[in-house]
Amino acid sequence: MNVPATREDLMIVNMGPHHPSMHGVLRLIVTLDGEDVIDCEPILGYLHRGMEKIAENRTIIQYLPYVTRWDYLATMFTEAITVNAPEQLGNIQVPKRASYIRVIMLELSRIASHLLWLGPFMADIGAQTPFFYIFRERELVYDLFEAATGMRMMHNYFRIGGVAADLPYGWIDKCLDFCDYFLTGDQCYELPEYNGIFVKSIVMSVIDEFDWEVQWQKEGDSLSRYLVRIGEMVESIKIIQQALEGIPGGPYENLEIRCFDRVRNPELNDFDYRFISKKPSPTFELSKQELYVRVEAPKGELGVFLIGDQNVFPWRWKNSTAG
């Protein structure tokens, strides 16, 4: 809307950025003539940018609990990219078992995110029933997350060089049961394809060891978006099943990274340090270089640009968000 040139004493008001619902953060630049709104410019795509400055004043381990707030529908991916950046910066090797566990958690997170895309999407175009079904499957995924990490949403599970804890006893069998149920359970997700609603118009270092296919459609309409996400969930289940069946033994974390390159403080061997628990959390210096790392998250490419300065804190941390 064009503002009339004859108007005077107009007031421009920022409404937001605020979080109106689960669809994202919205800012409205509103032009007022008294109580009348004569212009409104919506601006999309905001992330909580305070996260970047927080990262530059924390060690990576201290910062990990924050990052799940970037995208609380795909929290494992935000943790993965956060630890992957310093891993590549320091050339840190991840044990193979830890890599398999990461793949499993990431694909479960992808399924949970796609399900919560599917439910509101179907409700928006008139199919209300799938909105209720998707929460049933998401609860099963969250049960698996809770059993492995202790938390249903904000997990704080990934670590530099691995994961925080190994999979508990019986978890693999429980996850396999979920995969079998997801593929052979209710077929409610196939119904919208035929009911006339639609109008037809690398972080995971071991991913190459699995058999899967990239999902794509050439049309680019609503049905295509639906088919791609349904196909991606099926491919995620296939990857999870292969990872669960082939997961190797061994350590779940590279403990060698806990050893600092710097000269050790002689006080670390004193009585107070050794026996009264005055021990800092494990960390390491980020070498003086820069890099950009990315991962294919459920909503698109999620990336981090990191600059190290031979310090335990990043000199610069920038997010490139998906969606």
Side-chain angles (χ1 to χ4, degrees):
M1 182 185 299
N2 295 324
V3 180
T6 58
R7 298 282 187 176
E8 296 181 358
D9 300 326
L10 300 178
M11 179 180 293
I12 298 178
V13 178
N14 273 299
M15 296 182 62
H18 52 207
H19 207 301
S21 69
M22 66 182 170
H23 291 297
V25 181
L26 174 67
R27 177 191 178 195
L28 300 175
I29 302 178
V30 180
T31 302
L32 302 177
D33 180 16
E35 295 182 353
D36 297 329
V37 177
I38 64 173
D39 191 24
C40 180
E41 179 184 357
I43 300 178
L44 309 175
Y46 280 91
L47 179 70
H48 305 290
R49 288 294 173 183
M51 291 292 185
E52 295 174 342
K53 285 303 176 185
I54 292 173
E56 294 167 11
N57 292 275
R58 302 287 190 278
T59 67
I60 301 300
I61 296 298
Q62 292 171 339
Y63 183 55
L64 268 172
Y66 290 86
V67 302
T68 48
R69 277 75 178 175
W70 296 354
D71 182 359
Y72 45 85
L73 304 184
T75 49
M76 290 292 185
F77 285 88
T78 60
E79 294 186 19
I81 198 68
T82 301
V83 300
N84 190 242
E87 283 173 353
Q88 293 193 24
L89 203 65
N91 195 26
I92 295 170
Q93 300 299 314
V94 179
K96 195 166 186 178
R97 180 176 180 84
S99 295
Y100 271 65
I101 294 175
R102 287 183 177 186
V103 169
I104 295 167
M105 295 301 177
L106 290 174
E107 294 307 320
L108 286 172
S109 190
R110 189 187 309 277
I111 292 171
S113 179
H114 279 0
L115 285 173
L116 197 50
W117 170 87
L118 176 64
F121 174 74
M122 298 306 304
D124 288 343
I125 60 175
Q128 189 67 37
T129 303
F131 183 82
F132 302 102
Y133 280 110
I134 61 104
F135 285 100
R136 177 186 61 188
E137 272 73 10
R138 278 174 58 84
E139 285 301 306
L140 297 177
V141 174
Y142 282 173
D143 287 343
L144 293 170
F145 284 158
E146 184 179 15
T149 72
M151 297 288 287
R152 298 180 73 81
M153 287 187 67
M154 312 303 179
H155 314 290
N156 192 20
Y157 185 62
F158 281 55
R159 292 291 184 272
I160 298 175
V163 293
D166 204 352
L167 299 176
Y169 177 78
W171 193 92
I172 292 179
D173 293 334
K174 186 177 180 181
C175 191
L176 285 170
D177 291 341
F178 165 76
C179 293
D180 294 337
Y181 163 78
F182 192 86
L183 291 178
T184 59
D186 252 321
Q187 301 301 313
C188 68
Y189 307 122
E190 296 182 3
L191 296 179
E193 188 174 339
Y194 307 106
N195 68 4
I197 288 178
F198 291 104
V199 178
K200 183 70 173 167
S201 357
I202 275 282
V203 168
M204 296 181 289
S205 58
V206 296
I207 194 66
D208 291 336
E209 300 181 13
F210 306 122
D211 180 23
W212 59 283
E213 296 180 0
V214 176
Q215 297 298 303
W216 61 279
Q217 295 286 327
K218 62 182 180 181
E219 288 81 4
D221 56 6
S222 295
L223 178 58
S224 298
R225 293 197 296 271
Y226 163 81
L227 293 174
V228 166
R229 285 168 175 80
I230 293 294
E232 284 185 349
M233 287 193 287
V234 174
E235 294 301 314
S236 292
I237 290 293
K238 289 168 54 178
I239 293 173
I240 293 170
Q241 289 174 324
Q242 294 173 69
L244 290 171
E245 293 169 357
I247 187 170
Y252 58 85
E253 184 180 11
N254 184 353
L255 298 179
E256 294 181 1
I257 66 168
R258 294 174 180 252
C259 300
F260 300 148
D261 292 332
R262 67 178 67 174
V263 178
R264 293 182 179 275
N265 189 334
E267 295 181 358
L268 298 185
N269 291 321
D270 289 350
F271 178 84
D272 286 350
Y273 178 85
R274 296 175 64 189
F275 299 106
I276 311 184
S277 299
K278 292 184 178 180
K279 300 180 180 181
S281 60
T283 186
F284 65 99
E285 291 182 349
L286 299 171
S287 58
K288 196 169 184 177
Q289 54 180 313
E290 62 184 62
L291 82 162
Y292 176 78
V293 293
R294 57 182 178 262
V295 62
E296 186 64 26
K299 300 176 184 177
E301 181 179 295
L302 175 64
V304 165
F305 177 68
L306 173 63
I307 301 179
D309 192 30
Q310 214 64 41
N311 199 319
V312 295
F313 301 150
W315 187 84
R316 182 67 74 233
W317 182 287
K318 295 292 290 184
N319 297 325
S320 174
T321 58

